[in-house]
Amino acid sequence: MKSKFIGALIGTAVGDASGALLEGYSMDEVNSVKGGSDTWEMISGRYTDDTEMMKGVAESLIENKGFNGEHMATRFIENYDPRRGYGPGTREALRRISKGESWKETSKKLFGGKGSYGNGAAMRIAPVGLFYYDDADKLREIAYKSSHITHYHELGKEGAALQAFSIALAVSGTKKEDMLLKLKRFIKSEIYKEKVRKLEAVLDKEATKKEVNSELGNGEAAFNSVPTAIYSFLRADSFKDAVVYAVSLGGDTDTIGAMTGAISGAYYGEGGIPKRWEEKLEEGKGKKGRSYIRWLGEELYRVKVFIS
Ligand code: F2R
Ligand code: MG
Ligand code: MG
């Protein structure tokens, strides 16, 4: 189980770094520069906002032995590094909170009062999926609350809950039909229910990448990327194949890679992640990279065992 906790966090960073240099490229552009799974190599170990924010979620859950919104928002602000490439909504939310606005109110004011449905809450959610893997109601509650700091829109929150629950199922060793059945029971929003129906259909017919992008999406909206990450995990038989496939779809490659890496790392454990990819991950600013992320996985597991 400890290896799965570490695997989900390192998997997020490895998936993120694998797609980082290709973010925004179309599927055809990505495939013109990259080969298949056998020849694919991680070009750079530099991760982006996806991993930077995931670390904040993990740090806050560990320090508080559970959720504390004010503290988590503070961690996001302390860790903020503009060179990591944040989404505009998240950047604005963190700027406002750092100026003294309440973390409970800020996200409601973005995108004309509707709030963000971007995938920024889902991409960082792995620690919530791990910490609450054995309690689906609590997992949903904390996924919504942790999303609320930056993502008020119900589709942003539901995407994060769906990603967290996929990680929880993966930690418990659930895959294929069983995972799909449980996901369908868990989802509340009609938009995500429809996406999971499409996911099932593309899985059944071994669809082309073009069909996958058209049915599930490869963009920055949570509903156009979380189901794609779940699909990338479900169709593959290894961590490497899942992440290589996710990135090869083009679009929001770092984030679909990070979310696929989180689910796959939770399922296969740290041992399933190619060693040379993990070793290539940067040690990060202030040595808060690879070894630190690994330590966060260990600590999250230790605290989980302690409170259980
Ligand atoms: N920001 C990026 N990449 C672009 C630049 C990276 C470049 N390589 C660099 O280094 O500078 N990637 C990161 O952003 C995505 C996560 O975004 P997040 O945190 O959800 O932000 P935001 O702004 O809230 O939402 C993203 C976009 O979705 C659309 N959107 C959201 N809610 C909306 C609403 N209610 N109505 C209309 N549109 C809405 C907007 O276009 C948002 O900007 C990840 O890819 C991460 O890697
Ligand atoms: Mg990113
Ligand atoms: Mg991205």
Side-chain angles (χ1 to χ4, degrees), residues 15-16 19-20 23 48-50 119-120 122-124 163 219-220 225 229 251-261:
D16 178 11
E23 191 183 26
T48 75
D49 58 327
D50 306 48
N119 54 20
M123 72 190 187
R124 67 184 189 225
Q163 171 69 8
E220 275 188 355
S225 48
D252 197 354
T253 49
D254 64 328
T255 302
I256 300 175
M259 295 192 293
T260 304

Side-chain angles (χ1 to χ4, degrees), residues 23-282:
E23 191 183 26
Y25 283 72
S26 71
M27 182 188 79
D28 288 340
E29 285 167 336
V30 171
N31 290 294
S32 71
V33 291
K34 300 295 269 183
S37 178
D38 294 346
T39 52
W40 179 286
E41 265 315 319
M42 198 166 121
I43 307 166
S44 154
R46 185 168 162 76
Y47 55 79
T48 75
D49 58 327
D50 306 48
T51 303
E52 200 62 85
M53 295 204 80
M54 177 278 286
K55 289 192 296 186
V57 175
E59 287 168 346
S60 188
L61 290 178
I62 291 165
E63 282 177 55
N64 296 284
K65 299 186 175 56
F67 180 71
N68 176 330
E70 178 102 42
H71 183 269
M72 194 176 282
T74 304
R75 276 281 176 261
F76 290 157
I77 292 162
E78 284 167 358
N79 292 347
Y80 184 77
D81 177 356
R83 292 168 306 170
R84 303 280 177 193
Y86 288 67
T90 294
R91 199 167 54 229
E92 177 62 9
L94 298 184
R95 190 191 68 77
R96 287 172 178 238
I97 299 169
S98 72
K99 297 273 177 236
E101 273 190 24
S102 156
W103 71 272
K104 287 188 179 160
E105 299 305 318
T106 296
S107 63
K108 298 178 186 171
K109 299 173 188 163
L110 303 177
F111 296 97
K114 293 195 172 86
S116 173
Y117 54 59
N119 54 20
M123 72 190 187
R124 67 184 189 225
I125 204 73
V128 173
L130 298 170
F131 203 69
Y132 299 103
Y133 81 92
D134 51 356
D135 184 343
D137 291 338
K138 193 77 181 161
L139 174 145
R140 183 195 298 283
E141 180 199 329
I142 304 305
Y144 286 176
K145 283 183 174 166
S146 68
S147 300
H148 184 99
I149 300 169
T150 49
H151 291 67
Y152 177 67
H153 200 292
E154 66 172 288
L155 294 175
K157 292 183 179 180
E158 187 74 351
L162 179 59
Q163 171 69 8
F165 192 55
S166 303
I167 291 164
L169 293 175
V171 160
S172 314
T174 310
K175 211 185 170 190
K176 302 287 173 192
E177 290 81 10
D178 199 18
M179 181 181 247
L180 281 170
L181 196 70
K182 287 178 174 153
L183 289 176
K184 279 195 274 186
R185 285 194 201 128
F186 178 81
I187 299 163
K188 291 199 167 159
S189 137
E190 198 42 57
I191 289 186
Y192 284 99
K193 278 187 201 288
E194 177 61 16
K195 282 283 180 167
V196 172
R197 279 194 286 271
K198 287 181 173 179
L199 192 167
E200 236 175 340
V202 289
L203 207 51
D204 280 348
K205 74 173 200 178
E206 291 182 26
T208 62
K209 288 179 189 172
K210 205 170 164 187
E211 287 169 328
V212 171
N213 280 344
S214 133
E215 294 296 300
L216 304 183
N218 65 350
E220 275 188 355
F223 46 85
N224 284 332
S225 48
V226 173
T228 317
I230 299 169
Y231 171 74
S232 300
F233 162 69
L234 284 175
R235 66 172 293 289
D237 289 320
S238 69
F239 178 94
K240 186 183 178 194
D241 284 353
V243 168
V244 168
Y245 181 84
V247 174
S248 77
L249 292 171
D252 197 354
T253 49
D254 64 328
T255 302
I256 300 175
M259 295 192 293
T260 304
I263 307 170
S264 305
Y267 186 77
Y268 297 107
E270 188 187 16
I273 301 173
K275 196 90 198 133
R276 64 183 183 286
W277 287 11
E278 182 173 346
E279 283 170 358
K280 200 165 197 173
L281 269 184
E282 63 170 309

